Amino acid sequence: MSGKFLPVLLGTGIFITVQTGCIRVKSDPVEVKPIEININVRVKVDRELDNFFNDLDARDASKKAGN
Amino acid sequence: MKRFATILLGIMAMGMPLSVLQAQEEIGTIKARMGTRLSAIGTLKSSRLVGEGNKGFLVILKDSLTAEQKALVDQENADRGKVYQYIAAKTGSTPELVGQRRAAQIAVESAPGVVYQDSAGNWKTK
């Protein structure tokens, strides 16, 4: 039994080593998170709203003075 | 033939910036119109006949508005919608988001006594 056991064990060990050596690790591509895109768009929107409405709001009595 | 092609290309090249200029002219006209309504809209808001909704539009709060006042509110909301569309196209967002951001600005900037709707849909008085 010991005559066959060692070769079997060795063969199994070689098999496992070869299989693990064939494993490829793949990393996911870098992606921009949606929340970052949303914040950028919000900033742009707020800026455009300010550009359009600033002088109207300055003349609007229903808005607080000094805004 | 070459001259004709050059002239034709020149006319076609003008087409793009002309449309941009047209949009800017139209937005300028809208802004001027909104400016003429400021006082009347302000009176409606201070009387609490209309409030500022959380989508960036005026909302009628009482049924006692005259037809003329209702028309004024409709005209103001129509112009606000056009402004939101213009800004949405310019920034790559949506008119809904632009309206919501404008509503948030109005909620902060409004004078005491103005009725406004918060983001959760609750009506409050400044």
Side-chain angles (χ1 to χ4, degrees), chain A residues 46 50 52 55 57 62 64, chain B residues 31 101-102 108-109 111:
Chain A
D46 287 354
D50 286 342
F52 184 87
D55 48 354
D57 289 346
S62 72
K64 283 186 277 193
Chain B
K31 191 173 182 177
R101 296 303 296 164
R102 177 58 182 161
V108 168
E109 293 168 3

Side-chain angles (χ1 to χ4, degrees), chain A residues 12-29:
Chain A
T12 307
I14 291 168
F15 177 77
I16 291 169
T17 305
V18 167
Q19 289 301 309
T20 53
C22 294
I23 291 171
R24 295 281 178 265
V25 176
K26 228 180 181 182
S27 60
D28 291 327

Side-chain angles (χ1 to χ4, degrees), chain A residues 37 41 44-45, chain B residues 85-95 97-98:
Chain A
I37 297 169
V41 169
K44 281 186 199 174
V45 166
Chain B
Q85 281 178 347
Y86 169 77
I87 292 175
K90 206 173 173 187
T91 56
S93 64
T94 63
L97 174 65
V98 177

Side-chain angles (χ1 to χ4, degrees), chain A residues 38 41-42 44-57 59-65 67, chain B residues 27 31 34-35 38 42 45 83 87 90-91 93 97-98 101-102 105-106 108-111 114 126:
Chain A
N38 286 343
V41 169
R42 273 190 171 190
K44 281 186 199 174
V45 166
D46 287 354
R47 192 165 48 230
E48 289 298 328
L49 283 170
D50 286 342
N51 285 344
F52 184 87
F53 284 107
N54 265 354
D55 48 354
L56 282 176
D57 289 346
R59 292 159 47 198
D60 189 353
S62 72
K63 302 279 187 328
K64 283 186 277 193
N67 276 327
Chain B
I27 211 71
K31 191 173 182 177
M34 293 175 85
L38 278 176
K45 289 203 282 189
V83 172
I87 292 175
K90 206 173 173 187
T91 56
S93 64
L97 174 65
V98 177
R101 296 303 296 164
R102 177 58 182 161
Q105 286 182 346
I106 291 170
V108 168
E109 293 168 3
S110 286
V114 171
K126 263 282 202 165

